[in-house]
Amino acid sequence: MNIAQRSSKNNQLISNITSLLEETRSNLTSLSSNFNQEIQAIHNNISMISGSVHDLKRQISFFAKLSRSVRITKRHQTVVYDLAQTNNENGYNPKNGIFTCPQSGTYVFMWNTLIYVRTYIRLEIVVSGTALYGILEDTEEAGDYDSATGSVIVNLNVGDKVFIRSRDSGPGPLYLDSSIVTSSFSGYRI
């Protein structure tokens, strides 16, 4: 084999090696891009899972009671439980008596009423504009206290409103016997 043939063969070999190196570089660039996309997808999934875990750890709950007796004077009067003892995530507003859902989920709500001396009261819970369930409480004798409790389990979406209101005008007040014996409203996400 002469020098010209050897040189041609070496040039062909160099050209083949160069092509293989270019193909390898192109494959590595593609693999690197795919790898970076997979890493980004993993980071996105981790962020989403972390957010979900954080949401699950949020303790949404409230307990509010009356600081004074409240007279029911009209139909559909919202009962404002003005003393919020617990208000995790600040969903309950003690100024207007309305719980505004801060996170979608299943919730339990309970309310207790205390009345006194030959009177009655009808209260109902309103969820997203619809009265779901009510209680009737009736005292029959002089000097008679009476207490009733209602509860519901409901699915809520963010922004849904929940409150207690009168079904009719009364005639009795929600009574406050002491700072411990009073009417209350509470709720929590399960």
Side-chain angles (χ1 to χ4, degrees):
M1 183 182 301
N2 65 27
I3 293 181
Q5 289 175 330
R6 226 189 265 165
S7 178
S8 175
K9 198 170 187 173
N10 283 343
N11 285 342
Q12 183 62 39
L13 185 60
I14 288 171
S15 178
N16 288 344
I17 290 171
T18 302
S19 291
L20 284 173
L21 286 173
E22 285 296 320
E23 185 180 336
T24 301
R25 185 179 67 74
S26 176
N27 288 341
L28 286 174
T29 300
S30 178
L31 285 173
S32 175
S33 177
N34 290 342
F35 179 74
N36 287 336
Q37 288 175 356
E38 289 295 322
I39 292 290
Q40 186 60 46
I42 289 170
H43 281 285
N44 291 344
N45 286 338
I46 288 171
S47 293
M48 186 175 63
I49 290 168
S50 294
S52 296
V53 168
H54 173 72
D55 286 346
L56 289 173
K57 288 182 178 179
R58 289 173 67 187
Q59 296 179 354
I60 301 170
S61 60
F62 72 94
F63 172 74
K65 62 184 184 177
L66 297 178
S67 65
R68 60 185 167 29
S69 295
V70 173
R71 181 161 294 282
I72 301 299
T73 60
K74 61 185 177 183
R75 175 180 158 84
H76 291 175
Q77 177 181 332
T78 300
V79 180
V80 179
Y81 302 87
D82 61 327
L83 187 57
Q85 304 266 200
T86 303
N87 198 6
N88 294 321
E89 298 292 326
N90 296 314
Y92 180 74
N93 185 338
K95 292 184 183 204
N96 65 14
I98 298 173
F99 173 78
T100 303
C101 180
Q103 182 181 12
S104 297
T106 303
Y107 287 77
V108 175
F109 292 98
M110 295 165 285
W111 66 104
N112 181 64
T113 61
L114 177 67
I115 60 172
Y116 180 66
V117 185
R118 292 187 183 160
T119 191
Y120 73 92
I121 195 164
R122 288 186 179 105
L123 296 179
E124 59 192 9
I125 189 165
V126 178
V127 178
S128 301
T130 302
L132 288 187
Y133 179 72
I135 59 172
L136 167 65
E137 189 173 356
D138 189 3
T139 59
E140 295 183 9
E141 299 176 17
D144 185 24
Y145 285 93
D146 196 23
S147 180
T149 300
S151 64
V152 295
I153 300 172
V154 294
N155 294 318
L156 297 180
N157 294 311
V158 172
D160 285 349
K161 310 254 187 240
V162 180
F163 58 93
I164 305 298
R165 73 180 181 193
S166 62
R167 186 168 177 87
D168 52 34
S169 62
L174 292 171
Y175 191 73
L176 174 71
D177 181 57
S178 70
S179 63
I180 296 172
V181 182
T182 184
S183 298
S184 64
F185 179 38
S186 61
Y188 59 93
R189 187 176 63 121
I190 55 176

